[in-house]
Amino acid sequence: MILTVTLNTALDLTYHVPALVPHGSHRVTRVVERPGGKGLNVARVLGALGHETVVTGFAGGTTGETVRALLAAGTAGQPVHDALVPTAGATRRTVAVVDATSGDTTQLNEPGPAITSDEWAAFTSRFTELLGTARAVALCGSLPPGIHVGAYAELVRLARAAGVPVLLDTSGEPLRRGIAARPDVIKPNAEELAQLTGSREPHRAARDARRRGAHTVVASLGADGLLAATPDGLWQAAPPAPVRGNPTGAGDSAVAALLAGLVDGADWPDRLTHAVALSAATVLSPVAGEFDADAYRELLPRVTVHAPATAA
């Protein structure tokens, strides 16, 4: 199975409005609730792709109960197994407001509950147990209050000690600390990569991130697709044309594709092709953690991948 970690789990609420007007009152035409947080989005996409997935992290309060109930209700494809650890604080909510006129999305994210030292100890114990049957693990998203900034570095070391490949998808100081523990893959966006390395030239920044400890760097470049700096060289993959829609969860779908390619033993051009197509198909879906399956199949043969350009 594939294990995904979401330390700052959320209940995602998506509101659809005809047009978002600042300072105005809005009539919501549609409301969608989904289990949220980056790792849960990744897990639902992996399930839809046919992979057995287990999610862990924290869940608490009435919103945490709703998240767990929605997970139990199932999703398309393989079920997502719940190994979330209870917390006294309430799971956060995130609100996405989709403007039907412009196609743009406005996101509001709560900070998350404060995690106690006992809750963190319970989580690390659960995580270590789950590594025993994991083929790969993804560590995703922000840290809730109360968790030390080196938490991801600690989890990367536990995964490496268990011989489980680990993908790290976070930002800021947690990424800076985590990369020093030598994760197999990191997946920053262009801004996160620039903040990590101080360089806004993606090729140079990706190589620098590898020198800091990441075995492979896969950077999201927005409409320009993905850049991968691997031990064998550089690849860049791009969609046939920019897509408009709800970008929430697009990066998580790319992570799901990268994990699927890792456990399936696919080469990097194939992994990037699927990651770009799946990410674009997610933008075309109105809800985070879901993708337009028809668009995914249609986009796959149209993604362009550049062969290795230079040694990484």
Side-chain angles (χ1 to χ4, degrees), residues 135-148:
R135 300 177 64 193
V137 58
L139 309 175
C140 303
S142 61
L143 298 178
I147 293 184
H148 63 96

Side-chain angles (χ1 to χ4, degrees), residues 2-73:
I2 298 175
L3 175 63
T4 73
V5 172
T6 311
L7 296 178
N8 213 359
T9 306
L11 176 64
D12 282 347
L13 302 171
T14 303
Y15 293 159
H16 294 260
V17 298
L20 183 61
V21 181
H23 315 296
S25 178
H26 298 79
R27 185 174 297 277
V28 177
T29 58
R30 184 185 177 208
V31 180
V32 180
E33 281 188 331
R34 290 289 187 275
K38 294 177 74 65
L40 269 68
N41 290 339
V42 170
R44 291 207 312 279
V45 173
L46 282 167
L49 294 174
H51 289 271
E52 182 183 4
T53 310
V54 175
V55 296
T56 190
F58 296 99
T62 56
T63 49
E65 292 173 3
T66 302
V67 166
R68 302 187 85 156
L70 290 169
L71 282 173

Side-chain angles (χ1 to χ4, degrees), residues 179 184-188 193 205-207 209-210 214-219 227-230:
I179 199 173
D184 295 88
V185 183
I186 64 168
K187 200 215 70 62
L193 185 61
R207 292 194 193 92
R210 288 198 65 237
H215 186 72
T216 292
V217 178
V218 179
L227 171 70
T230 79

Side-chain angles (χ1 to χ4, degrees), residues 134-284:
R135 300 177 64 193
V137 58
L139 309 175
C140 303
S142 61
L143 298 178
I147 293 184
H148 63 96
V149 74
Y152 280 134
E154 180 180 344
L155 300 182
V156 169
R157 292 187 186 99
L158 288 172
R160 288 181 57 82
V164 179
V166 56
L167 183 152
L168 177 60
D169 183 13
T170 189
S171 60
E173 192 61 22
L175 174 59
R176 192 178 306 277
R177 300 283 187 92
I179 199 173
R182 306 189 68 80
D184 295 88
V185 183
I186 64 168
K187 200 215 70 62
N189 61 33
E191 181 61 29
E192 291 163 350
L193 185 61
Q195 291 176 357
L196 175 68
T197 64
S199 174
R200 292 194 172 273
E201 200 292 304
H203 290 191
R204 181 181 299 113
R207 292 194 193 92
D208 184 30
R210 288 198 65 237
R211 286 192 290 269
R212 291 169 185 248
H215 186 72
T216 292
V217 178
V218 179
S220 298
L221 304 180
D224 293 328
L226 295 173
L227 171 70
T230 79
D232 300 320
L234 290 171
W235 280 268
Q236 188 162 345
V243 294
R244 295 193 64 183
N246 181 1
T248 307
D252 305 330
S253 289
V255 169
L258 294 172
L259 288 169
L262 188 157
V263 299
D264 291 340
D267 60 24
W268 274 107
D270 187 59
R271 295 187 208 185
L272 294 176
T273 296
H274 283 268
V276 167
L278 197 58
S279 180
T282 300
V283 173
L284 297 172

